[in-house]
Amino acid sequence: MPVKNFHKTRRRKLLAIFIAGALCLSGLTATLALAQVGVGDEALNAQNGLMSFLSMKAWSPYAAGVGIGVLSWFTFLLSDHPLGVSTAYARTSGMIETAIRGDKARSRPYYQRFAPQIDWEWMLVIGLIFGAAISAILSGDFYFRFMPDVWVAEFGDGWLLRWVTAFIGGVVMGLGARWANGCTSGHALSGTMQLVASSWVAAIGIFAGGIITAFLIF
Amino acid sequence: MFDEIRLNRRLQLFLGFVMGIFFGFFLQKGQVTKYDIIMKQLFLEDFTVVKVILSAIVTGMIGIYILKRYNMVSLHPKAGSVGGTVLGSLIFGVGFALLGYCPGTAAGAVGQGSMDALFGGVLGLLTGSALYAVIYPWLARHILHIGNFGEITLQELFKIDTLKMVAIASIFIVLVLVALEIFGL
């Protein structure tokens, strides 16, 4: 391991920086988490430790964010892969097209680049569905939701309009995700934390496009 | 040391699944799998989404750059271009506001029982991806390469030391988060 080749003082210096950084970060997280009064009280009143923490309906957004950040250390370390989602949708659409049209579909240049097959990221998305389900079930937050409140307040409770809008949104977003070569996960989360220029551009583009559209349609 | 783990395909598929469970769990606990939370972010009324993303970025960044310093991980920068990244992300944003979930949180929303994320969102995303595969050859020839800026990182772009860039980005993110709390957003 290259670690052994490092000069001792340099290692100590880096370790000091790491510990200082980790302390600042955990201090900040704790402070900000408690600043979220509602959630903070819930956490302080929790009597049964870990289990009640896992069955809280909502965590402080900082706790969830730090969790995702730490998770991404492990995706890089153990799988040499950033967290990303939208390629899995492209692979799935490739698998569906292959199932319908046979191997002709595989000759599309895009599916030559991203083969329609199950890979690490595809399994990540399947796991994601289960993880969200586990979280929701533990906190009694799992139930079939047909209409979101914010939508109903503006457009009423006709489910057809909601589903058609959602479908069109999905089509446009699926197109845009592949066009930009990444989505909120691959670019705005994983790319930005690697300080990749294109990902910071994409993150700004995603929110600029989203905010403008949201103000236009509502 | 990690090559044995990384090259074991079956183990990787399993690890992907396990890491996905954690990812989905954190997203749902952070409330960002909810349409209302995401839309209120786009209306600039509720900053939960920004808080989750920024605290994930700062945590992930510090850890990944320390691991990289010890040659334990390698970066995976994506190439960018005006025709690809800028145009694509703006199109993505339009879809984002119409659907009210992003690709990852749509999958998470399905897990918590949101039916609009399944029949609208996931089906739409699959259709959009298929459509992209159809128009990809044309886009690759005419649009995607416009204004290419390559697989560059911010420290390469600004020509500064990596440690400095990580420090600047961390301080910037922390200041934004503190400002959000001060203004009660």
Side-chain angles (χ1 to χ4, degrees), chain B residues 111-145:
Chain B
Q112 72 186 7
S114 301
M115 290 294 108
D116 56 336
L118 179 60
F119 293 111
V122 172
L123 284 185
L125 276 160
L126 292 174
T127 313
S129 306
L131 202 61
Y132 185 79
V134 175
I135 62 169
Y136 172 72
W138 186 87
L139 284 176
R141 268 199 306 276
H142 299 286
I143 309 281
L144 295 180
H145 58 85

PDB file of all heavy atoms in Angstrom, chain B residues 111-145:
ATOM      1  N   GLY B 111     -40.916   3.543  -3.460  1.00  0.00           N
ATOM      2  CA  GLY B 111     -40.738   2.731  -2.255  1.00  0.00           C
ATOM      3  C   GLY B 111     -41.627   3.158  -1.100  1.00  0.00           C
ATOM      4  O   GLY B 111     -42.000   2.338  -0.274  1.00  0.00           O
ATOM      5  N   GLN B 112     -41.980   4.438  -1.021  1.00  0.00           N
ATOM      6  CA  GLN B 112     -42.846   4.901   0.079  1.00  0.00           C
ATOM      7  C   GLN B 112     -44.314   4.893  -0.317  1.00  0.00           C
ATOM      8  O   GLN B 112     -45.163   5.295   0.458  1.00  0.00           O
ATOM      9  CB  GLN B 112     -42.429   6.304   0.536  1.00  0.00           C
ATOM     10  CG  GLN B 112     -42.798   7.382  -0.465  1.00  0.00           C
ATOM     11  CD  GLN B 112     -42.276   8.760  -0.131  1.00  0.00           C
ATOM     12  OE1 GLN B 112     -41.510   8.928   0.791  1.00  0.00           O
ATOM     13  NE2 GLN B 112     -42.702   9.746  -0.893  1.00  0.00           N
ATOM     14  N   GLY B 113     -44.612   4.438  -1.554  1.00  0.00           N
ATOM     15  CA  GLY B 113     -45.996   4.264  -1.978  1.00  0.00           C
ATOM     16  C   GLY B 113     -46.576   5.369  -2.836  1.00  0.00           C
ATOM     17  O   GLY B 113     -47.792   5.412  -3.044  1.00  0.00           O
ATOM     18  N   SER B 114     -45.734   6.278  -3.349  1.00  0.00           N
ATOM     19  CA  SER B 114     -46.263   7.361  -4.193  1.00  0.00           C
ATOM     20  C   SER B 114     -46.550   6.865  -5.609  1.00  0.00           C
ATOM     21  O   SER B 114     -45.634   6.555  -6.366  1.00  0.00           O
ATOM     22  CB  SER B 114     -45.266   8.522  -4.260  1.00  0.00           C
ATOM     23  OG  SER B 114     -45.024   9.017  -2.983  1.00  0.00           O
ATOM     24  N   MET B 115     -47.830   6.817  -5.941  1.00  0.00           N
ATOM     25  CA  MET B 115     -48.228   6.226  -7.212  1.00  0.00           C
ATOM     26  C   MET B 115     -47.923   7.129  -8.408  1.00  0.00           C
ATOM     27  O   MET B 115     -47.666   6.647  -9.514  1.00  0.00           O
ATOM     28  CB  MET B 115     -49.727   5.877  -7.181  1.00  0.00           C
ATOM     29  CG  MET B 115     -50.052   4.725  -6.258  1.00  0.00           C
ATOM     30  SD  MET B 115     -49.318   3.168  -6.841  1.00  0.00           S
ATOM     31  CE  MET B 115     -48.019   2.923  -5.670  1.00  0.00           C
ATOM     32  N   ASP B 116     -47.933   8.453  -8.186  1.00  0.00           N
ATOM     33  CA  ASP B 116     -47.617   9.346  -9.310  1.00  0.00           C
ATOM     34  C   ASP B 116     -46.151   9.206  -9.717  1.00  0.00           C
ATOM     35  O   ASP B 116     -45.793   9.418 -10.876  1.00  0.00           O
ATOM     36  CB  ASP B 116     -47.953  10.805  -8.966  1.00  0.00           C
ATOM     37  CG  ASP B 116     -47.262  11.305  -7.709  1.00  0.00           C
ATOM     38  OD1 ASP B 116     -46.909  10.461  -6.859  1.00  0.00           O
ATOM     39  OD2 ASP B 116     -47.085  12.518  -7.569  1.00  0.00           O
ATOM     40  N   ALA B 117     -45.296   8.795  -8.752  1.00  0.00           N
ATOM     41  CA  ALA B 117     -43.873   8.589  -9.072  1.00  0.00           C
ATOM     42  C   ALA B 117     -43.688   7.326  -9.900  1.00  0.00           C
ATOM     43  O   ALA B 117     -42.767   7.235 -10.717  1.00  0.00           O
ATOM     44  CB  ALA B 117     -43.046   8.502  -7.796  1.00  0.00           C
ATOM     45  N   LEU B 118     -44.592   6.340  -9.701  1.00  0.00           N
ATOM     46  CA  LEU B 118     -44.463   5.080 -10.441  1.00  0.00           C
ATOM     47  C   LEU B 118     -45.053   5.202 -11.841  1.00  0.00           C
ATOM     48  O   LEU B 118     -44.346   5.059 -12.840  1.00  0.00           O
ATOM     49  CB  LEU B 118     -45.156   3.954  -9.668  1.00  0.00           C
ATOM     50  CG  LEU B 118     -45.139   2.576 -10.323  1.00  0.00           C
ATOM     51  CD1 LEU B 118     -43.717   2.094 -10.526  1.00  0.00           C
ATOM     52  CD2 LEU B 118     -45.906   1.559  -9.472  1.00  0.00           C
ATOM     53  N   PHE B 119     -46.351   5.493 -11.930  1.00  0.00           N
ATOM     54  CA  PHE B 119     -47.002   5.461 -13.246  1.00  0.00           C
ATOM     55  C   PHE B 119     -46.657   6.683 -14.090  1.00  0.00           C
ATOM     56  O   PHE B 119     -46.514   6.587 -15.294  1.00  0.00           O
ATOM     57  CB  PHE B 119     -48.519   5.305 -13.075  1.00  0.00           C
ATOM     58  CG  PHE B 119     -48.884   3.989 -12.507  1.00  0.00           C
ATOM     59  CD1 PHE B 119     -49.393   3.876 -11.228  1.00  0.00           C
ATOM     60  CD2 PHE B 119     -48.673   2.819 -13.237  1.00  0.00           C
ATOM     61  CE1 PHE B 119     -49.697   2.640 -10.684  1.00  0.00           C
ATOM     62  CE2 PHE B 119     -48.970   1.580 -12.700  1.00  0.00           C
ATOM     63  CZ  PHE B 119     -49.490   1.488 -11.420  1.00  0.00           C
ATOM     64  N   GLY B 120     -46.531   7.832 -13.442  1.00  0.00           N
ATOM     65  CA  GLY B 120     -46.072   8.972 -14.210  1.00  0.00           C
ATOM     66  C   GLY B 120     -44.568   8.951 -14.354  1.00  0.00           C
ATOM     67  O   GLY B 120     -44.020   8.806 -15.433  1.00  0.00           O
ATOM     68  N   GLY B 121     -43.889   9.015 -13.198  1.00  0.00           N
ATOM     69  CA  GLY B 121     -42.453   9.255 -13.172  1.00  0.00           C
ATOM     70  C   GLY B 121     -41.594   8.173 -13.796  1.00  0.00           C
ATOM     71  O   GLY B 121     -40.916   8.409 -14.794  1.00  0.00           O
ATOM     72  N   VAL B 122     -41.632   6.968 -13.225  1.00  0.00           N
ATOM     73  CA  VAL B 122     -40.711   5.922 -13.681  1.00  0.00           C
ATOM     74  C   VAL B 122     -41.013   5.544 -15.128  1.00  0.00           C
ATOM     75  O   VAL B 122     -40.096   5.411 -15.944  1.00  0.00           O
ATOM     76  CB  VAL B 122     -40.777   4.697 -12.743  1.00  0.00           C
ATOM     77  CG1 VAL B 122     -39.976   3.538 -13.322  1.00  0.00           C
ATOM     78  CG2 VAL B 122     -40.240   5.074 -11.362  1.00  0.00           C
ATOM     79  N   LEU B 123     -42.298   5.416 -15.481  1.00  0.00           N
ATOM     80  CA  LEU B 123     -42.637   5.099 -16.875  1.00  0.00           C
ATOM     81  C   LEU B 123     -42.159   6.193 -17.812  1.00  0.00           C
ATOM     82  O   LEU B 123     -41.627   5.933 -18.890  1.00  0.00           O
ATOM     83  CB  LEU B 123     -44.149   4.906 -17.035  1.00  0.00           C
ATOM     84  CG  LEU B 123     -44.717   3.594 -16.525  1.00  0.00           C
ATOM     85  CD1 LEU B 123     -46.202   3.507 -16.860  1.00  0.00           C
ATOM     86  CD2 LEU B 123     -43.970   2.408 -17.129  1.00  0.00           C
ATOM     87  N   GLY B 124     -42.347   7.455 -17.407  1.00  0.00           N
ATOM     88  CA  GLY B 124     -41.892   8.580 -18.217  1.00  0.00           C
ATOM     89  C   GLY B 124     -40.383   8.582 -18.371  1.00  0.00           C
ATOM     90  O   GLY B 124     -39.859   8.789 -19.468  1.00  0.00           O
ATOM     91  N   LEU B 125     -39.679   8.318 -17.267  1.00  0.00           N
ATOM     92  CA  LEU B 125     -38.214   8.298 -17.311  1.00  0.00           C
ATOM     93  C   LEU B 125     -37.706   7.222 -18.264  1.00  0.00           C
ATOM     94  O   LEU B 125     -36.757   7.445 -19.022  1.00  0.00           O
ATOM     95  CB  LEU B 125     -37.656   8.046 -15.906  1.00  0.00           C
ATOM     96  CG  LEU B 125     -37.533   9.282 -15.022  1.00  0.00           C
ATOM     97  CD1 LEU B 125     -37.463   8.901 -13.553  1.00  0.00           C
ATOM     98  CD2 LEU B 125     -36.288  10.079 -15.419  1.00  0.00           C
ATOM     99  N   LEU B 126     -38.351   6.054 -18.218  1.00  0.00           N
ATOM    100  CA  LEU B 126     -37.928   4.967 -19.123  1.00  0.00           C
ATOM    101  C   LEU B 126     -38.199   5.363 -20.571  1.00  0.00           C
ATOM    102  O   LEU B 126     -37.375   5.126 -21.459  1.00  0.00           O
ATOM    103  CB  LEU B 126     -38.659   3.667 -18.771  1.00  0.00           C
ATOM    104  CG  LEU B 126     -38.280   3.044 -17.423  1.00  0.00           C
ATOM    105  CD1 LEU B 126     -39.161   1.848 -17.119  1.00  0.00           C
ATOM    106  CD2 LEU B 126     -36.810   2.638 -17.419  1.00  0.00           C
ATOM    107  N   THR B 127     -39.361   5.996 -20.806  1.00  0.00           N
ATOM    108  CA  THR B 127     -39.697   6.436 -22.162  1.00  0.00           C
ATOM    109  C   THR B 127     -38.716   7.494 -22.644  1.00  0.00           C
ATOM    110  O   THR B 127     -38.225   7.445 -23.779  1.00  0.00           O
ATOM    111  CB  THR B 127     -41.126   7.014 -22.195  1.00  0.00           C
ATOM    112  OG1 THR B 127     -41.996   6.117 -21.515  1.00  0.00           O
ATOM    113  CG2 THR B 127     -41.609   7.216 -23.614  1.00  0.00           C
ATOM    114  N   GLY B 128     -38.410   8.465 -21.761  1.00  0.00           N
ATOM    115  CA  GLY B 128     -37.465   9.523 -22.122  1.00  0.00           C
ATOM    116  C   GLY B 128     -36.085   8.973 -22.436  1.00  0.00           C
ATOM    117  O   GLY B 128     -35.428   9.414 -23.387  1.00  0.00           O
ATOM    118  N   SER B 129     -35.637   8.003 -21.638  1.00  0.00           N
ATOM    119  CA  SER B 129     -34.321   7.400 -21.881  1.00  0.00           C
ATOM    120  C   SER B 129     -34.305   6.675 -23.218  1.00  0.00           C
ATOM    121  O   SER B 129     -33.323   6.738 -23.967  1.00  0.00           O
ATOM    122  CB  SER B 129     -33.974   6.408 -20.768  1.00  0.00           C
ATOM    123  OG  SER B 129     -34.080   7.020 -19.517  1.00  0.00           O
ATOM    124  N   ALA B 130     -35.409   5.958 -23.524  1.00  0.00           N
ATOM    125  CA  ALA B 130     -35.489   5.237 -24.800  1.00  0.00           C
ATOM    126  C   ALA B 130     -35.457   6.227 -25.964  1.00  0.00           C
ATOM    127  O   ALA B 130     -34.782   6.003 -26.977  1.00  0.00           O
ATOM    128  CB  ALA B 130     -36.767   4.402 -24.849  1.00  0.00           C
ATOM    129  N   LEU B 131     -36.180   7.332 -25.788  1.00  0.00           N
ATOM    130  CA  LEU B 131     -36.217   8.375 -26.822  1.00  0.00           C
ATOM    131  C   LEU B 131     -34.817   8.939 -27.052  1.00  0.00           C
ATOM    132  O   LEU B 131     -34.393   9.181 -28.190  1.00  0.00           O
ATOM    133  CB  LEU B 131     -37.157   9.486 -26.331  1.00  0.00           C
ATOM    134  CG  LEU B 131     -37.776  10.418 -27.353  1.00  0.00           C
ATOM    135  CD1 LEU B 131     -38.624   9.619 -28.331  1.00  0.00           C
ATOM    136  CD2 LEU B 131     -38.642  11.459 -26.643  1.00  0.00           C
ATOM    137  N   TYR B 132     -34.080   9.112 -25.948  1.00  0.00           N
ATOM    138  CA  TYR B 132     -32.733   9.657 -26.077  1.00  0.00           C
ATOM    139  C   TYR B 132     -31.837   8.710 -26.875  1.00  0.00           C
ATOM    140  O   TYR B 132     -31.034   9.162 -27.701  1.00  0.00           O
ATOM    141  CB  TYR B 132     -32.113   9.918 -24.702  1.00  0.00           C
ATOM    142  CG  TYR B 132     -30.761  10.584 -24.806  1.00  0.00           C
ATOM    143  CD1 TYR B 132     -30.658  11.945 -25.050  1.00  0.00           C
ATOM    144  CD2 TYR B 132     -29.585   9.839 -24.730  1.00  0.00           C
ATOM    145  CE1 TYR B 132     -29.425  12.555 -25.192  1.00  0.00           C
ATOM    146  CE2 TYR B 132     -28.347  10.440 -24.865  1.00  0.00           C
ATOM    147  CZ  TYR B 132     -28.274  11.805 -25.099  1.00  0.00           C
ATOM    148  OH  TYR B 132     -27.058  12.401 -25.255  1.00  0.00           O
ATOM    149  N   ALA B 133     -31.996   7.402 -26.625  1.00  0.00           N
ATOM    150  CA  ALA B 133     -31.186   6.420 -27.364  1.00  0.00           C
ATOM    151  C   ALA B 133     -31.464   6.522 -28.865  1.00  0.00           C
ATOM    152  O   ALA B 133     -30.574   6.294 -29.686  1.00  0.00           O
ATOM    153  CB  ALA B 133     -31.479   5.009 -26.858  1.00  0.00           C
ATOM    154  N   VAL B 134     -32.710   6.891 -29.220  1.00  0.00           N
ATOM    155  CA  VAL B 134     -33.070   7.027 -30.640  1.00  0.00           C
ATOM    156  C   VAL B 134     -32.422   8.270 -31.245  1.00  0.00           C
ATOM    157  O   VAL B 134     -31.854   8.218 -32.348  1.00  0.00           O
ATOM    158  CB  VAL B 134     -34.611   7.091 -30.808  1.00  0.00           C
ATOM    159  CG1 VAL B 134     -34.991   7.359 -32.259  1.00  0.00           C
ATOM    160  CG2 VAL B 134     -35.243   5.804 -30.305  1.00  0.00           C
ATOM    161  N   ILE B 135     -32.472   9.402 -30.523  1.00  0.00           N
ATOM    162  CA  ILE B 135     -31.950  10.643 -31.119  1.00  0.00           C
ATOM    163  C   ILE B 135     -30.457  10.849 -30.850  1.00  0.00           C
ATOM    164  O   ILE B 135     -29.856  11.772 -31.384  1.00  0.00           O
ATOM    165  CB  ILE B 135     -32.728  11.897 -30.620  1.00  0.00           C
ATOM    166  CG1 ILE B 135     -32.583  12.056 -29.100  1.00  0.00           C
ATOM    167  CG2 ILE B 135     -34.198  11.820 -31.020  1.00  0.00           C
ATOM    168  CD1 ILE B 135     -33.095  13.397 -28.591  1.00  0.00           C
ATOM    169  N   TYR B 136     -29.861   9.940 -30.047  1.00  0.00           N
ATOM    170  CA  TYR B 136     -28.455  10.114 -29.664  1.00  0.00           C
ATOM    171  C   TYR B 136     -27.489  10.281 -30.838  1.00  0.00           C
ATOM    172  O   TYR B 136     -26.647  11.201 -30.829  1.00  0.00           O
ATOM    173  CB  TYR B 136     -28.012   8.964 -28.751  1.00  0.00           C
ATOM    174  CG  TYR B 136     -26.536   8.955 -28.450  1.00  0.00           C
ATOM    175  CD1 TYR B 136     -25.964   9.901 -27.615  1.00  0.00           C
ATOM    176  CD2 TYR B 136     -25.696   7.993 -29.034  1.00  0.00           C
ATOM    177  CE1 TYR B 136     -24.598   9.897 -27.354  1.00  0.00           C
ATOM    178  CE2 TYR B 136     -24.324   7.983 -28.775  1.00  0.00           C
ATOM    179  CZ  TYR B 136     -23.793   8.932 -27.938  1.00  0.00           C
ATOM    180  OH  TYR B 136     -22.444   8.927 -27.690  1.00  0.00           O
ATOM    181  N   PRO B 137     -27.575   9.439 -31.894  1.00  0.00           N
ATOM    182  CA  PRO B 137     -26.602   9.595 -32.985  1.00  0.00           C
ATOM    183  C   PRO B 137     -26.630  10.995 -33.604  1.00  0.00           C
ATOM    184  O   PRO B 137     -25.583  11.577 -33.890  1.00  0.00           O
ATOM    185  CB  PRO B 137     -27.039   8.531 -33.999  1.00  0.00           C
ATOM    186  CG  PRO B 137     -27.769   7.525 -33.190  1.00  0.00           C
ATOM    187  CD  PRO B 137     -28.471   8.304 -32.117  1.00  0.00           C
ATOM    188  N   TRP B 138     -27.844  11.546 -33.771  1.00  0.00           N
ATOM    189  CA  TRP B 138     -27.974  12.888 -34.352  1.00  0.00           C
ATOM    190  C   TRP B 138     -27.398  13.941 -33.402  1.00  0.00           C
ATOM    191  O   TRP B 138     -26.642  14.832 -33.804  1.00  0.00           O
ATOM    192  CB  TRP B 138     -29.452  13.177 -34.666  1.00  0.00           C
ATOM    193  CG  TRP B 138     -29.642  14.486 -35.388  1.00  0.00           C
ATOM    194  CD1 TRP B 138     -29.585  14.696 -36.728  1.00  0.00           C
ATOM    195  CD2 TRP B 138     -29.894  15.773 -34.785  1.00  0.00           C
ATOM    196  NE1 TRP B 138     -29.774  16.021 -37.016  1.00  0.00           N
ATOM    197  CE2 TRP B 138     -29.968  16.704 -35.854  1.00  0.00           C
ATOM    198  CE3 TRP B 138     -30.062  16.219 -33.471  1.00  0.00           C
ATOM    199  CZ2 TRP B 138     -30.208  18.066 -35.628  1.00  0.00           C
ATOM    200  CZ3 TRP B 138     -30.293  17.569 -33.248  1.00  0.00           C
ATOM    201  CH2 TRP B 138     -30.360  18.478 -34.327  1.00  0.00           C
ATOM    202  N   LEU B 139     -27.766  13.837 -32.104  1.00  0.00           N
ATOM    203  CA  LEU B 139     -27.259  14.786 -31.098  1.00  0.00           C
ATOM    204  C   LEU B 139     -25.741  14.746 -31.012  1.00  0.00           C
ATOM    205  O   LEU B 139     -25.091  15.786 -30.913  1.00  0.00           O
ATOM    206  CB  LEU B 139     -27.840  14.450 -29.714  1.00  0.00           C
ATOM    207  CG  LEU B 139     -29.281  14.839 -29.430  1.00  0.00           C
ATOM    208  CD1 LEU B 139     -29.687  14.328 -28.052  1.00  0.00           C
ATOM    209  CD2 LEU B 139     -29.459  16.350 -29.492  1.00  0.00           C
ATOM    210  N   ALA B 140     -25.182  13.534 -31.055  1.00  0.00           N
ATOM    211  CA  ALA B 140     -23.732  13.388 -30.930  1.00  0.00           C
ATOM    212  C   ALA B 140     -23.020  14.067 -32.101  1.00  0.00           C
ATOM    213  O   ALA B 140     -21.937  14.615 -31.947  1.00  0.00           O
ATOM    214  CB  ALA B 140     -23.360  11.904 -30.860  1.00  0.00           C
ATOM    215  N   ARG B 141     -23.675  14.032 -33.278  1.00  0.00           N
ATOM    216  CA  ARG B 141     -23.051  14.654 -34.459  1.00  0.00           C
ATOM    217  C   ARG B 141     -23.173  16.165 -34.428  1.00  0.00           C
ATOM    218  O   ARG B 141     -22.242  16.879 -34.796  1.00  0.00           O
ATOM    219  CB  ARG B 141     -23.708  14.123 -35.748  1.00  0.00           C
ATOM    220  CG  ARG B 141     -23.017  12.919 -36.345  1.00  0.00           C
ATOM    221  CD  ARG B 141     -23.401  12.730 -37.805  1.00  0.00           C
ATOM    222  NE  ARG B 141     -24.839  12.671 -38.017  1.00  0.00           N
ATOM    223  CZ  ARG B 141     -25.555  11.557 -37.865  1.00  0.00           C
ATOM    224  NH1 ARG B 141     -24.978  10.441 -37.487  1.00  0.00           N
ATOM    225  NH2 ARG B 141     -26.856  11.563 -38.072  1.00  0.00           N
ATOM    226  N   HIS B 142     -24.340  16.680 -33.975  1.00  0.00           N
ATOM    227  CA  HIS B 142     -24.610  18.109 -34.179  1.00  0.00           C
ATOM    228  C   HIS B 142     -24.602  18.976 -32.924  1.00  0.00           C
ATOM    229  O   HIS B 142     -24.335  20.169 -33.018  1.00  0.00           O
ATOM    230  CB  HIS B 142     -25.966  18.276 -34.874  1.00  0.00           C
ATOM    231  CG  HIS B 142     -26.021  17.623 -36.218  1.00  0.00           C
ATOM    232  ND1 HIS B 142     -25.389  18.150 -37.313  1.00  0.00           N
ATOM    233  CD2 HIS B 142     -26.591  16.465 -36.619  1.00  0.00           C
ATOM    234  CE1 HIS B 142     -25.590  17.357 -38.357  1.00  0.00           C
ATOM    235  NE2 HIS B 142     -26.306  16.319 -37.955  1.00  0.00           N
ATOM    236  N   ILE B 143     -24.943  18.429 -31.754  1.00  0.00           N
ATOM    237  CA  ILE B 143     -25.200  19.281 -30.592  1.00  0.00           C
ATOM    238  C   ILE B 143     -24.211  19.058 -29.442  1.00  0.00           C
ATOM    239  O   ILE B 143     -23.666  20.017 -28.890  1.00  0.00           O
ATOM    240  CB  ILE B 143     -26.636  19.044 -30.033  1.00  0.00           C
ATOM    241  CG1 ILE B 143     -27.679  19.134 -31.143  1.00  0.00           C
ATOM    242  CG2 ILE B 143     -26.941  20.000 -28.884  1.00  0.00           C
ATOM    243  CD1 ILE B 143     -28.058  20.524 -31.562  1.00  0.00           C
ATOM    244  N   LEU B 144     -23.986  17.802 -29.085  1.00  0.00           N
ATOM    245  CA  LEU B 144     -23.324  17.489 -27.807  1.00  0.00           C
ATOM    246  C   LEU B 144     -21.904  18.042 -27.687  1.00  0.00           C
ATOM    247  O   LEU B 144     -21.437  18.319 -26.596  1.00  0.00           O
ATOM    248  CB  LEU B 144     -23.302  15.969 -27.576  1.00  0.00           C
ATOM    249  CG  LEU B 144     -24.667  15.308 -27.392  1.00  0.00           C
ATOM    250  CD1 LEU B 144     -24.507  13.815 -27.170  1.00  0.00           C
ATOM    251  CD2 LEU B 144     -25.431  15.927 -26.219  1.00  0.00           C
ATOM    252  N   HIS B 145     -21.207  18.201 -28.818  1.00  0.00           N
ATOM    253  CA  HIS B 145     -19.803  18.619 -28.744  1.00  0.00           C
ATOM    254  C   HIS B 145     -19.645  20.141 -28.723  1.00  0.00           C
ATOM    255  O   HIS B 145     -18.537  20.643 -28.555  1.00  0.00           O
ATOM    256  CB  HIS B 145     -19.027  18.036 -29.928  1.00  0.00           C
ATOM    257  CG  HIS B 145     -19.592  18.452 -31.253  1.00  0.00           C
ATOM    258  ND1 HIS B 145     -19.245  19.635 -31.853  1.00  0.00           N
ATOM    259  CD2 HIS B 145     -20.521  17.869 -32.052  1.00  0.00           C
ATOM    260  CE1 HIS B 145     -19.932  19.754 -32.980  1.00  0.00           C
ATOM    261  NE2 HIS B 145     -20.715  18.700 -33.121  1.00  0.00           N
TER     262      HIS B 145
END
